[in-house]
Amino acid sequence: AQSVAQPEDQVNVAEGNPLTVKCTYSVSGNPYLFWYVQYPNRGLQFLLKYITGDNLVKGSYGFEAEFNKSQTSFHLKKPSALVSDSALYFCAVRDMEGTGFQKLVFGTGTRLLVSP
Amino acid sequence: DVKVTQSSRYLVKRTGEKVFLECVQDMDHENMFWYRQDPGLGLRLIYFSYDVKMKEKGDIPEGYSVSREKKERFSLILESASTNQTSMYLCASSLFRLDGAYQPQHFGDGTRLSIL
């Protein structure tokens, strides 16, 4: 079964500093990986995805993610954090079994707190 | 922009009641999903539907049922509400593509359900 792990419940970073939110995956076959963000009292919003190709994927709001096959990781990054980036971030992997190919399996989430 | 609308933001019900959560999407998406979100557990899939009148169990279907009589509407039903079903419920939809290419899920803002 496909799964993702987000080892940090919370990440704290100062505004203007680079940020990294970690995600590792476990899949059979090629992984299809995603990042979503949830702002307070809102649903999740799609940030970016990795299917194939370049290991560095660019997404919305200046975020990017680095796919590393040898380390089975898909870390979310941003060169310069903003206070408005404070939110809950979810890593997800596509479930490729049976009719579940449109399903996602989500991690437990990492809260990002950017201080002024 | 895709809009996924959940009928209630907050709902309070009593143990044993039959509870209906409604979700409507306006983009003619084939796929619709119901998740529950709990702190430390992330999002867990309850049920999903890939067509009208079609449904499949997710990871935690016990105590829930769903109905999809029209393409735009996907209802989650708690047959006999219990306190352990107190949670945030999120609805999502996505487009189905014949080539199997992944289309991002679009989420509603959630219904916070309390069972007393």
Side-chain angles (χ1 to χ4, degrees), chain A residues 22-78:
Chain A
K22 295 180 180 177
C23 174
T24 59
Y25 65 88
S26 174
V27 302
S28 52
N30 294 322
Y32 289 58
L33 297 159
F34 311 88
W35 278 101
Y36 282 78
V37 60
Q38 185 180 34
Y39 297 104
N41 299 314
R42 301 299 302 275
L44 277 68
Q45 295 179 33
F46 171 74
L47 274 180
L48 51 81
K49 65 181 178 184
Y50 172 83
I51 307 297
T52 59
D54 290 341
N55 290 340
L56 189 64
V57 180
K58 294 192 183 297
S60 305
Y61 312 123
F63 283 93
E64 56 191 24
E66 186 173 11
F67 173 71
N68 187 316
K69 189 172 183 178
S70 63
Q71 297 186 3
T72 62
S73 67
F74 188 56
H75 300 333
L76 182 70
K77 301 184 178 189
K78 188 173 182 181

Side-chain angles (χ1 to χ4, degrees), chain B residues 3-4 27 36 38-39 52-54 65 71 89 99 101 103 105 107 112 115:
Chain B
K3 190 156 181 65
V4 178
M27 283 301 291
R36 64 177 283 176
D38 300 288
V52 176
K53 297 191 185 296
M54 305 301 289
S65 63
K71 192 174 186 179
Y89 290 87
D99 60 1
Q103 296 297 305
Q105 292 184 18
F107 284 80
R112 189 166 292 282
I115 307 296

Side-chain angles (χ1 to χ4, degrees), chain A residues 93-109:
Chain A
V93 64
R94 184 173 174 182
D95 185 345
M96 299 300 290
E97 298 175 5
T99 55
F101 58 88
Q102 296 291 329
K103 291 175 5 183
L104 294 178
V105 177
F106 286 88
T108 53

Side-chain angles (χ1 to χ4, degrees), chain B residues 11-13 15 36-39 44 64 78 81-89 111-116:
Chain B
L11 206 54
V12 180
K13 296 291 182 180
T15 303
R36 64 177 283 176
Q37 180 180 7
D38 300 288
R44 293 179 291 167
Y64 303 94
L78 285 66
S82 64
T83 55
N84 63 11
Q85 293 178 309
T86 291
S87 185
M88 169 71 88
Y89 290 87
T111 296
R112 189 166 292 282
L113 176 64
S114 296
I115 307 296
L116 305 179

